[in-house]
Amino acid sequence: MDLSNCKHLRFFGLQLNSLAWKCVALAVIALLLRAICLPKFSGFSGGIVQSNLFDIKNQPLPQNSESSHIEKSKFLEVPQIIWGLNNQKIAFARACLTARMLNRTLLMPSLSASLFYKEVDLLKPISFDKVFQFEKFNSLCKGFVQLSRYSEVLNGTNVFELQKGSGRKWTIEKDLDQLRHFNEHPYDEYEIIKIVGKNPFLWHDHWPVKEYAKVFECLVLVEEISKEADKVVSKIKEIGSRNGINQKLESVLYVAVHMRIEKDWMIHCKKLQQRYNISEICSSKEEIMQRVGNIMGLKTPIVIYLAIADDLLEDSSILTGWKQGLLPYEKKRLGVFEVYKKHPYLIQSAIDYEVCLRSNVFVGNSFSTFSSLVVLDRTQKMMAISGAEVCGEDAKWPSYAYNLEGESKGPRSWASNMSDVSLQAISYGSNHISCR
């Protein structure tokens, strides 16, 4: 309604007719909506140098605003989750999102403490709640996805086994149709739908990055593992302080480099380069050192923590050849090898993930699932800060890909594309990384 039509509107106590009241009401509503809906922007001064009081683990998690009906008395059971830590996290998230699609609660799955790619019988199971906080997960993901313990199942015999399709003929469309079908009668009457077959990591992907990120946000390490990561970070900061970087431990900066040059990785990445016909997956030790040394805006001296699988490393010279001012440390030189050695593979990887996540600057490989999930985690946390840049020197916690050349022959700036319609690039890697 045009306010010019309010010719009968009178002020200072004069009587208003019904049209006038409608005009006033519309004007007031418009003002209220303007006040509520217009965003309020504030300046942000981040950057590598300014983020001295960095502590990413204490950043508040965004609250999930979306909610859905999750049937607490109906469950989804999935096979044991296997392979590397971050493959397991992706598989777990995919299982959660499948349960959400079926309006069911996911029965707490077993993870794998050991790392065997072919000898499935040798995979040592470990309970989810030995790695991540069960109650914390349900609290943070309330209304989105939920976990249940097997003790909450009332009738363990009311189970329907769902065989996942496989092979080239089992398309993403067929898989989606199957899931929709099993959300209907009579299958919705079963207390448990048990999916049998391949590892959830290999299931078809039907969900955008943002939905996976919501699940990842809810994965909080148990206190025991988090404290182990605290020990490693404290040691890094102590060394930085002794080298005159900063006298206050909490203000000491460090760079974490996920240095993939182990023998298993070099075999894998060379196969990928042949398959995709690209040459930007494998990086030599020398290329990594050179590109890390060329990061723009990086103040030296600074500690470089090398996150590397020591047992699979054949090159013992990774500590030499770095640019002056870069102080490289791996687990043994850092004096924390025993912290890692007492734990199985999965826990070791979880500690390293946390150390990389908390770093002021992270440098990884864009074809590594570990690196990709660290960057996703950091991107998500920066996006939760109003007005924060997520890329380059001005980012609060910048990340880079050393396998791709960026400015000044340094590594390319890297932030996850949160608008992606699937997790393909993060699960399998990409040389088309986002930084916007």
Side-chain angles (χ1 to χ4, degrees):
M1 181 182 294
D2 191 335
L3 290 178
S4 63
N5 291 331
C6 303
K7 57 186 178 182
H8 301 292
L9 180 62
R10 298 183 180 183
F11 297 92
F12 307 109
L14 294 179
Q15 188 174 3
L16 301 175
N17 61 21
S18 60
L19 177 61
W21 276 115
K22 290 178 182 177
C23 293
V24 171
L26 284 172
V28 171
I29 290 169
L31 288 170
L32 285 171
L33 287 174
R34 184 178 184 274
I36 293 169
C37 296
L38 282 180
K40 297 178 181 179
F41 296 100
S42 60
F44 175 80
S45 176
I48 298 171
V49 179
Q50 284 83 5
S51 56
N52 290 350
L53 298 179
F54 172 87
D55 189 359
I56 200 166
K57 79 166 186 174
N58 291 327
Q59 286 301 310
L61 294 172
Q63 295 299 310
N64 290 322
S65 57
E66 294 182 30
S67 61
S68 66
H69 173 68
I70 300 171
E71 181 57 66
K72 294 182 179 179
S73 61
K74 301 292 174 64
F75 307 97
L76 178 71
E77 183 178 354
V78 300
Q80 180 183 349
I81 292 174
I82 59 174
W83 297 346
L85 167 71
N86 292 287
N87 296 92
Q88 292 190 49
K89 287 167 70 174
I90 290 171
F92 170 78
R94 194 159 291 156
C96 284
L97 294 171
T98 301
R100 173 180 164 85
M101 179 176 278
L102 296 174
N103 294 325
R104 289 174 175 268
T105 298
L106 179 66
L107 286 171
M108 186 172 67
S110 290
L111 305 180
S112 301
S114 54
L115 182 61
F116 289 90
Y117 289 98
K118 295 181 179 178
E119 296 87 349
V120 177
D121 293 340
L122 298 178
L123 289 168
K124 184 180 178 181
I126 182 171
S127 177
F128 172 90
D129 58 2
K130 296 296 183 184
V131 184
F132 301 105
Q133 296 182 38
F134 177 88
E135 299 296 343
K136 190 76 170 178
F137 179 88
N138 277 342
S139 173
L140 292 172
C141 266
K142 185 178 181 181
F144 187 65
V145 295
Q146 289 287 278
L147 278 179
S148 286
R149 300 181 188 275
Y150 278 83
S151 58
E152 297 176 50
V153 176
L154 297 176
N155 180 8
T157 61
N158 187 19
V159 180
F160 183 89
E161 283 199 359
L162 168 59
Q163 178 70 50
K164 269 283 185 182
S166 60
R168 293 183 179 179
K169 291 184 178 180
W170 187 254
T171 63
I172 190 169
E173 292 80 15
K174 287 182 179 178
D175 191 75
L176 187 59
D177 285 343
Q178 183 190 57
L179 290 177
R180 288 170 174 162
H181 183 60
F182 279 88
N183 194 26
E184 300 170 351
H185 186 78
Y187 308 105
D188 60 347
E189 296 297 323
Y190 286 91
E191 184 182 20
I192 299 174
I193 289 181
K194 179 180 180 179
I195 297 182
V196 295
K198 54 192 178 183
N199 172 22
F201 182 84
L202 298 174
W203 294 356
H204 281 297
D205 183 2
H206 304 294
W207 300 276
V209 168
K210 286 182 180 178
E211 295 206 1
Y212 282 99
K214 285 183 180 182
V215 178
F216 296 144
E217 283 173 355
C218 305
L219 291 172
V220 179
L221 291 173
V222 295
E223 200 68 24
E224 179 189 358
I225 301 175
S226 185
K227 285 180 178 178
E228 297 288 61
D230 291 342
K231 293 176 188 175
V232 180
V233 172
S234 294
K235 196 71 175 178
I236 293 171
K237 289 178 176 284
E238 284 172 18
I239 290 169
S241 182
R242 286 204 303 269
N243 281 276
I245 296 173
N246 199 305
Q247 296 303 312
K248 293 182 179 180
L249 286 182
E250 67 271 15
S251 301
V252 174
L253 312 182
Y254 72 95
V255 177
V257 180
H258 183 219
M259 201 169 187
R260 297 283 359 227
I261 58 170
E262 308 94 336
K263 57 186 178 183
D264 68 322
W265 169 258
M266 298 309 290
I267 293 170
H268 173 67
C269 73
K270 285 174 183 176
K271 288 180 179 178
L272 285 179
Q273 288 188 160
Q274 291 176 350
R275 185 188 307 163
Y276 297 136
N277 194 28
I278 57 176
S279 59
E280 295 177 314
I281 301 178
C282 303
S283 288
S284 66
K285 174 190 69 175
E286 292 75 20
E287 183 177 68
I288 296 171
M289 290 177 177
Q290 180 187 23
R291 287 184 175 170
V292 172
N294 289 333
I295 293 175
M296 295 180 66
L298 188 64
K299 275 198 168 185
T300 57
I302 192 165
V303 174
I304 308 292
Y305 173 69
L306 305 177
I308 195 164
D310 304 72
D311 295 340
L312 298 172
L313 183 64
E314 293 185 322
D315 188 347
S316 59
S317 63
I318 60 169
L319 298 177
T320 59
W322 292 85
K323 185 177 179 180
Q324 186 175 1
L326 302 183
L327 313 174
Y329 282 82
E330 36 74 78
K331 297 174 184 66
K332 290 179 180 177
R333 188 182 183 192
L334 195 60
V336 296
F337 187 69
E338 294 303 318
V339 173
Y340 287 84
K341 191 177 178 181
K342 64 184 179 182
H343 295 293
Y345 156 77
L346 187 72
I347 308 303
Q348 292 181 29
S349 187
I351 296 169
D352 249 3
Y353 183 93
E354 191 70 12
V355 174
C356 290
L357 179 63
R358 298 186 204 175
S359 64
N360 299 86
V361 180
F362 173 71
V363 192
N365 188 300
S366 67
F367 280 84
S368 161
T369 309
F370 182 104
S371 293
S372 295
L373 281 190
V374 170
V375 174
L376 175 64
D377 213 337
R378 291 164 71 89
T379 303
Q380 185 81 342
K381 285 176 168 58
M382 285 189 286
M383 289 179 69
I385 303 171
S386 177
E389 294 287 338
V390 297
C391 274
E393 290 180 74
D394 296 327
K396 190 170 181 63
W397 307 305
S399 300
Y400 300 88
Y402 57 66
N403 58 306
L404 303 171
E405 187 174 83
E407 292 183 70
S408 303
K409 295 186 177 180
R412 190 176 299 175
S413 291
W414 185 10
S416 296
N417 180 4
M418 303 303 293
S419 300
D420 221 338
V421 295
S422 78
L423 207 67
Q424 175 76 18
I426 290 171
S427 299
Y428 296 102
S430 173
N431 59 353
H432 301 292
I433 61 174
S434 165
C435 201
R436 56 181 184 270

